[in-house]
Amino acid sequence: MSTFPAARPTTPPTVWLTRGRHAGTAAEDVLRRALRRLKDRQDIDDFLEVPESAASPYRVFESRRRIAGEVTVRARLSLAPGTDGGQDWTLVAEASRPWDPEWPSPVGMFWPQEPDADWRHDAATGLRPGEVNPLPEDDKAVRRRLRDCARDAWHLHVVVHEAMTPDERGRTPLAHWLPPGLRRRVVEHRATPQQARVVNWALRDLGVEVPRGGAVVLPGSPAPDGYDAGDFSVRAVFLDGTEPTDLVEAVTRFDALPRPLPDGAQEALTALREDWRLLTLEEELARERELVAMYAEALDAMTKSRDLYREAADRAHEALAAYREAAEAPGNRQQSVARTAAVSPLQQLTRALDRLKGGPGFRRPAAHEASGASRPEATAPGPWAPEPPSVASEPGPAVPESPSVASEPGPAVLESPSAAPEPQPVISAPPPVAARSQSAASDR
């Protein structure tokens, strides 16, 4: 198994995303009132509150509007359940063409634009994007805050060191000069003149450094490809109310880098693309056509699968019928019977030896003899032949034994009036002497 983490997909050029936290307890009511006002003023084309689902605890709102008369922007905001710190929200918007930073922020498609609104808080640090946020005085708190900011990939974090304490004009936030699409996504941190060493000590793990009286754009986690701390640091930032051109240019270049999607952004983007509910008539018609085409393809695939299954079943039945016909043919039945009745060579040899032991006069008892009926003649038993059973009704005459043989007659032939004699096997060996003596005595 590979131990390397899977590469994250980059943020598409048509997508704009951010997240935040509503510090109050009535975020849903704030959203509903703001959406109604936006639609009444025709700032948005339409909005929709997705019905609550038991499968998800999030409340979902959708909004749509047109930019520059021809670019359609669809935005989806999901609101998490409330906690003691408020309610976290995630916003993902996608335009019909690559996003232009000069377009207005999609945050204005949902939230009211009051300066001190409760929704304007960073979910990671609790700070306010688009405003000046001084660093804490405690060194450990500074390190903890910058460490949390380094992990946040939803916003752009900029650390500015004040060479000297600025006046009111120097407290103008950086977002004032940024394009509208970046103002709600930049979190500005200000370090006092005596905090230069503490800030660099806290940022050394990230491999970046803030020049004295300058600024740096933090890389985030994970850092985008092509990020170099030297390319996104500014040596001097004049906090006198004039536009910090170099810093604005560095932030804009950083935003244009192909950055990986933050944690949770892939799910939010997938929900925007696949679970979108706020459709126009043309979009509904196009979706219905896609569904019809998809169902037609599925039905065609099912029909083809059924035909293939039916054809395979027919072939299987035909093969089974052919096999049965071949098994029931006469020739095959005779072969089967012959194979069943076949006798092994050992059994044939055993039978031949049994016949050899019985000699030329040995025969099997007839049917009437086996049943106990009388027989006309009895054959004298030979030395190797078994003694026939005695019959009480008609005993045969005794045959005297002769120790010598006068002549050499042929084998005795037994005749039976009731049944024909069974054919005896031809034995090439001469009959024994005792058998010839008995045959001669019988002739006399």
Side-chain angles (χ1 to χ4, degrees), residues 182-203:
L182 284 176
R183 291 174 185 173
R184 304 302 181 189
R185 295 178 53 227
V186 174
V187 181
E188 182 181 358
H189 306 270
R190 288 284 185 96
T192 59
Q194 61 272 18
Q195 288 182 318
R197 183 177 299 177
V198 175
V199 170
N200 288 328
W201 172 73
L203 293 176

Side-chain angles (χ1 to χ4, degrees), residues 146 150 157 159 196-211 215-220 223 227-233 254:
L146 294 179
H157 293 269
V159 181
R197 183 177 299 177
V198 175
V199 170
N200 288 328
W201 172 73
L203 293 176
R204 63 180 180 180
D205 294 338
L206 302 177
V208 298
E209 184 177 352
V210 182
V216 66
V217 182
L218 300 185
Y227 176 85
D228 184 82
D231 296 337
F232 297 97
S233 62
F254 180 85

Side-chain angles (χ1 to χ4, degrees), residues 6-12 258-262 265-266 269:
R8 294 190 183 185
T10 58
T11 303
R259 292 180 297 159
L261 286 171
Q266 181 64 50
L269 180 58

Side-chain angles (χ1 to χ4, degrees), residues 121-189:
H121 292 275
D122 178 20
T125 60
L127 305 177
R128 287 183 173 271
E131 298 183 4
V132 174
N133 299 278
L135 290 174
E137 297 180 358
D138 183 66
D139 295 351
K140 293 183 179 180
V142 171
R143 184 177 184 181
R144 184 165 49 251
R145 174 177 293 186
L146 294 179
R147 183 183 57 203
D148 295 339
C149 295
R151 296 175 180 173
D152 181 26
W154 289 86
H155 293 88
L156 281 71
H157 293 269
V158 180
V159 181
V160 180
H161 178 250
E162 300 172 346
M164 60 183 65
T165 303
D167 54 10
E168 189 65 26
R169 296 176 302 174
R171 295 189 179 93
T172 303
L174 172 65
H176 178 75
W177 290 280
L178 292 176
L182 284 176
R183 291 174 185 173
R184 304 302 181 189
R185 295 178 53 227
V186 174
V187 181
E188 182 181 358
H189 306 270

Side-chain angles (χ1 to χ4, degrees), residues 82-95:
T83 60
D84 296 338
Q87 289 181 267
D88 291 348
W89 53 269
T90 302
L91 193 156
V92 179
E94 187 169 18

